[in-house]
Amino acid sequence: MAARETGGSPIGVEKAVGRNGNGNGNGNGHAKPRASRSGGRRARPAAKAADPGQGITIPRRWTTAGKDPLEQVAWDLRAALISGEKGEVVFEQKDVEVPVFWSQLATNVVASKYFRGPLEDPSREHSVKQLIGRVAYTIAGWGREQSYFATEEDAQAFQDELVHLLVTQKASFNSPVWFNCGIEPHPQCSACFINSVEDNMESILKLAATEARLFKGGSGTGSNLSAIRGSMEQLKGGGQASGPVSFMRGYDAFAGVIKSGGKTRRAAKMVILNVDHPDIVEFIKCKGEEEKKAWALIDAGYDGGFNVVGGAYSSIFFQNANHSVRVTDDFMQAVESGGQWETKAVLGGRTVDTHPARDLMNMIAEYTHICGDPGLQFDTTINDWHTCPNTAPINASNPCSEYMFLDDSACNLASLNLLKFRTPQGQFDPAAFEHACHVVFLAQEIIVDNASYPTPAIEVNSHAFRPLGLGFANLGALLMAAGVPYDSDAGRAYAAAVTALMCGSAYRMSARVAAGKGPFSGYTVNAEPFLRVMNKHRDAIEGIDASAVPARLLSSARKAWDEAIALGTEHGFRNAQSTVLAPTGTIGFMMDCDTTGVEPDIALVKYKKLVGGGVMKIVNQTVPEALEKLGYDSEEVSEIVSFIDEKDTIEGAPYLKEEDLPVFDCAFRPMNGARSIEPMGHIRMMAAVQPFLSGAISKTVNVPSDASVEDIAQCYLDAWKLGLKAVAIYRDGSKRTQPLNTSLKGEKAVEGRPIRRRLPDERHALTHKFSIAGHEGYITVGLYEDGQPGEVFLVMSKEGTVISGLMDSFATAVSLALQYGVPVKELVSKFSHVRFEPAGFTGNPDIPIAKSIVDYIFRWMGLKFLPREEQPVQAAALMNGAADSGGADGHIITRAEERKVFQLQADAPPCAECGMLMVRNGACYKCLNCGSTLGCS
């Protein structure tokens, strides 16, 4: 019997047999009430009492009663193997059972991150069946115990549909669920936490202890430190207060210790300060000033890599946290008008300082230009969309700014893989997506009462408000597959409609659960502002361009919201928050997503991990589908894909129409192309989806390395005007980290007088012509009898007397160094990666990009005169190059080629687990080799 298709039949509420199992929790927060804002439709706050006899009905869409969904897919046995930068085995587990359609990277990530048990223990998990069964069966069991379902048939349908969603990579929970669910009676299941702090030493130290427990468990946390009095304010016993920035040093050091004491990724942490706090100037500058210290240490010879003990970045503060300034509309309006801004004492509220608002904004932009921090959070906008303002305002967020709610609260996340919800004809299927939203959101709701929380306050608020974070991944791939440019009105309308459908479906399920189990206990006091915000969400749908969105998708979104508000008005809502857009780092790999969260595609050329090791170069598999969608025939598609495979760009491909190029624009500029999505393209996309999210969006807006301070300030202003809740900006190249780390070994003193070894009057020589960004030159290396270099001549004939003279003098100095016995290895190590103009593309496939003439010369000399294992850039790549062939032309690649795609990520940190370069993921980083994340769950 085939699985019953419901055509999107809604999950309903019926009379159920069994006990209520309400589990509402108690308490509704402890902060002073906050007046709600006006706006939106007039709401009816009254809600009917819960009917203890009601339960949820679960229609089947993908599964059949009596058939195990895990047995409906084909399985494969393979080795999970992760190799490091130098070819060493980082992780290996043999005979891992996975679905045949899961990639090797997904296999590696799941086996290394989520399987329980020591590797040497025979009882260690070895199958995805065990993993998914452990999680899904546990959640379904909790649901049965607490009478969430109308009948046992509905409970089994829920379990089967959830298993199907997980095994087919349609959905995934946040990492703590995979780590802990089914292991302990009350597992820690939330990835995101917000912690409060008060202006006393006991609270300040308690926050450090709470954060330490969360970091140890792999979760992230955020806090607003504005309650701590400023450094110029008085203590009760006399003397000056330390101020929040002083305590931040301690928090940062503690986070670094927890990381180095057992965790391979950086502790995920957010620190926020209000723009009217008296220490705001010190806060704005603190991370950038530490960054400058790191630069000085790097210039002095210290290692510039992250996670390097004794390196430049391990010697400075504030590297374990994201910083954000919380600004109000009043401040932003003062920036626009050129007005003054006053900072206020925490105690008493007296005016401490007065600053031109524009000076503060320019200072924020200046330090963002230096190091990427601080970002901005827009307090007025955040609290205007707050569902529970009568309890307390929203003061803070989690580390990546997507979860924003009450202090001392937690959120478990889950994401849906948008590319999986399409019909065989390639159209987005709203009914399938709605059904998945219902099932996954219900699973998240069931988790709330069965999870553990690190503090009593967080436990109380989690039970009282039950905030959840349903989100999605693969938006960029979905738009490309549909032939819609990411940076276009059509792309933004499409994304807005999908997000509206997700949020409406989540709140519809929340209202249905409330009909049987009652609304969250903090609902009654917040009913009026809650329904006001629900209507703001619904009203925002009318701003979506209907001509750019499939009619069925938009009508489904409207219907979901209409039903959610109707049910919620009658019964209330079970959950204070429902949706966020998280970075989907590790779980994005688990679902084999091409893109994560709200991000566009990184690049058209991707690199896949192969069974048995090695990597394979392939063109993004969404590209052929997009080309077919745009009307290209099979022969044209084949030639365009071959062109991309060869050139690493689609620009200039045969047959491709100029007007179709925007469909294939990506976040990073391709190696041999010029196109990429501009910063405002990212901001406008965020603005399109923000009205349909309870929380916010984890995303860093990358700006080019030549972006000015004024450009960054304008991005902040535009983000505020477009209604974003938060924004982070990163200027490419601002971090002076080194892609490959060189060890700092003290040079041994040479005893005795150095002796110069001159070359014979007649010697062999090697001449090499080069071009760097169009600047041509010649390197001639004179050789000793043993083939080693003894002199260097540099000719830059077209560059004028200054550069010619400088390069000739430099070559003479290098020649003398060689003749006095300085090893080539030391010169290559010292002068590789030196940055100055001219710099750019070279045309040399072995050194595709040079950071300067000196960088090119010594990397070329390393290739010619050093053994492979000593070459500073190429060595690691060649040692563990490729193990197989594939792709359009069977091209076998090296790790050096892998790096070419991410040329704008030259300052990204190496992965702490395997050593490969990471790439940006929301406000964090992820490793494309082993699936590790840095700063996000």
Side-chain angles (χ1 to χ4, degrees), residues 877-911:
L878 295 173
M879 286 172 65
N880 188 32
D884 206 343
S885 62
D889 57 0
H891 178 54
I892 301 177
I893 69 159
T894 67
R895 297 286 174 86
E897 287 181 283
E898 183 180 9
R899 291 197 183 95
K900 292 181 189 177
V901 177
F902 308 115
Q903 64 186 66
L904 296 183
Q905 295 291 104
D907 57 349
C911 175

Side-chain angles (χ1 to χ4, degrees), residues 73 99 101-102 132 163-171 417 420:
V73 299
F101 50 85
W102 281 34
I132 290 178
V163 168
H164 170 87
L165 287 166
L166 299 175
V167 76
T168 58
Q169 300 176 301
K170 291 183 173 74
N417 183 352
K420 293 284 187 175

Side-chain angles (χ1 to χ4, degrees), residues 57 69 90 97 264 302 432 524 536 739 762 769 802 832 880 919 922:
T57 60
V90 175
E97 188 178 33
T264 54
Y302 284 84
T524 302
K536 281 168 65 71
E762 290 187 8
K769 181 180 178 181
V802 175
S832 294
N880 188 32
V919 298

Side-chain angles (χ1 to χ4, degrees), residues 556-609:
S556 296
R558 285 196 180 100
K559 181 180 178 183
W561 274 107
D562 288 343
E563 293 183 359
I565 292 173
L567 282 167
T569 301
E570 183 176 3
H571 301 289
F573 293 85
R574 182 68 169 170
N575 310 91
Q577 291 210 348
S578 69
T579 54
V580 301
L581 282 184
T584 57
T586 306
I587 66 173
F589 290 121
M590 183 179 184
M591 295 188 290
D592 279 320
C593 294
D594 285 326
T595 65
T596 55
V598 75
E599 301 286 348
D601 209 345
I602 291 175
L604 295 184
V605 177
K606 298 290 181 67
Y607 294 84
K608 288 286 186 180
K609 191 78 176 173

Side-chain angles (χ1 to χ4, degrees), residues 536-548:
K536 281 168 65 71
H537 286 303
R538 170 61 180 82
D539 292 345
I541 295 177
E542 302 311 315
I544 299 175
D545 183 359
S547 66

Side-chain angles (χ1 to χ4, degrees), residues 85 180 293 297 392 405 430 490 525 527 573 597 602 711 715 918:
E85 177 72 6
N180 305 318
K293 293 179 185 177
L297 290 170
F405 197 52
V525 71
F573 293 85
I602 291 175
D711 293 335
C715 284
M918 306 181 90

Side-chain angles (χ1 to χ4, degrees), residues 643-929:
F643 179 90
I644 299 169
D645 189 52
E646 178 183 355
K647 303 294 185 181
D648 280 345
T649 181
I650 198 170
E651 296 171 50
Y655 308 113
L656 188 69
K657 300 172 185 176
E658 186 75 19
E659 60 267 27
D660 291 337
L661 274 174
V663 173
F664 304 97
D665 284 348
C666 296
F668 299 159
R669 187 176 68 251
M671 173 56 58
N672 297 312
R675 298 181 62 94
S676 63
I677 297 171
E678 295 297 319
M680 281 306 299
H682 298 266
I683 292 174
R684 283 190 289 263
M685 178 58 80
M686 295 168 71
V689 301
Q690 181 61 80
F692 309 106
L693 296 169
S694 299
I697 307 164
S698 172
K699 177 164 178 52
T700 295
V701 177
N702 277 36
V703 299
S705 59
D706 59 357
S708 66
V709 171
E710 292 74 18
D711 293 335
I712 293 173
Q714 189 61 50
C715 284
Y716 280 140
L717 281 168
D718 290 338
W720 166 64
K721 291 178 180 179
L722 288 171
L724 297 189
K725 292 182 179 180
V727 65
I729 295 173
Y730 181 76
R731 182 177 65 86
D732 291 313
S734 60
K735 286 282 186 183
R736 294 191 182 179
T737 55
Q738 298 172 357
L740 291 177
N741 302 321
T742 56
S743 59
L744 294 174
K745 297 181 179 179
E747 296 182 3
K748 295 182 179 179
V750 178
E751 296 182 1
R753 182 179 178 181
I755 299 174
R756 182 180 181 183
R757 179 190 176 194
R758 296 180 181 274
L759 281 86
D761 291 338
E762 290 187 8
R763 78 290 302 261
H764 292 288
L766 180 65
T767 299
H768 173 71
K769 181 180 178 181
F770 63 89
S771 174
I772 302 173
H775 300 271
E776 294 185 349
Y778 296 84
I779 308 170
T780 299
V781 180
L783 305 176
Y784 289 111
E785 294 86 347
D786 59 3
Q788 289 301 302
E791 64 183 0
V792 177
F793 295 95
L794 297 174
V795 179
M796 300 289 291
S797 58
K798 296 182 180 181
E799 304 308 322
T801 57
V802 175
I803 194 168
S804 295
L806 286 172
M807 296 311 298
D808 184 64
S809 300
F810 179 70
T812 301
V814 171
S815 299
L816 287 170
L818 290 170
Q819 292 172 24
Y820 276 104
V822 176
V824 176
K825 175 184 176 181
E826 297 299 323
L827 293 170
V828 171
S829 174
K830 189 67 176 177
F831 291 107
S832 294
H833 306 299
V834 172
R835 293 176 181 263
F836 59 85
E837 297 295 330
F841 296 104
T842 69
N844 184 340
D846 293 323
I847 312 171
I849 298 175
K851 299 171 185 175
S852 64
I853 295 172
V854 170
D855 173 44
Y856 183 90
I857 291 167
F858 285 95
R859 285 165 65 192
W860 176 80
M861 289 186 68
L863 281 171
K864 292 297 179 182
F865 302 109
L866 293 179
R868 290 183 176 180
E869 64 272 11
E870 293 181 3
Q871 293 171 8
V873 172
Q874 295 83 1
L878 295 173
M879 286 172 65
N880 188 32
D884 206 343
S885 62
D889 57 0
H891 178 54
I892 301 177
I893 69 159
T894 67
R895 297 286 174 86
E897 287 181 283
E898 183 180 9
R899 291 197 183 95
K900 292 181 189 177
V901 177
F902 308 115
Q903 64 186 66
L904 296 183
Q905 295 291 104
D907 57 349
C911 175
E913 292 196 22
C914 69
M916 296 296 291
L917 282 183
M918 306 181 90
V919 298
R920 279 210 167 269
N921 183 55
C924 315
Y925 288 98
K926 65 180 179 181
C927 176
L928 300 183
N929 179 49

Side-chain angles (χ1 to χ4, degrees), residues 5-17:
E5 290 285 342
T6 68
S9 300
I11 294 178
V13 183
E14 290 185 358
K15 296 289 183 181
V17 179

